[in-house]
Amino acid sequence: DRAPSRVNVYEVMTCPVIRVYPNMDIRLCSRLFSTYNLVRAPVIENNVILGMVSPNSLVLDGLYQLANETEA
């Protein structure tokens, strides 16, 4: 019930940070999202953030790949 200007990041962040890796199996990544009820997770390689991934992006990418395989 506090104003956003009075809330610190550490009060709302997930700790420890659940992160994924570029070469991670998509099924494991999906399981992490489901288990921890995540909306997004950072993609990390060599301690550098490469980007963010969400369950929606996993599904959309999977559908895109499926469509391309069907056309080939």
Side-chain angles (χ1 to χ4, degrees), residues 2-72:
R2 294 186 297 175
S5 62
R6 298 188 52 92
V7 178
N8 295 311
V9 172
Y10 73 86
E11 295 178 78
V12 294
M13 71 181 206
T14 301
C15 191
V17 173
I18 307 294
R19 56 188 173 186
V20 298
Y21 302 94
N23 60 347
M24 182 179 277
D25 187 287
I26 197 166
R27 293 169 291 194
L28 175 58
C29 188
S30 296
R31 198 172 311 128
L32 285 173
F33 278 103
S34 177
T35 301
Y36 295 102
N37 198 27
L38 301 175
V39 176
R40 282 181 202 83
V43 180
I44 302 202
E45 185 174 51
N46 299 324
N47 291 324
V48 175
I49 298 175
L50 301 177
M52 299 292 284
V53 68
S54 71
N56 289 343
S57 63
L58 294 176
V59 170
L60 292 174
D61 187 55
L63 289 174
Y64 177 75
Q65 288 180 10
L66 183 62
N68 284 339
E69 290 173 4
T70 305
E71 291 174 0

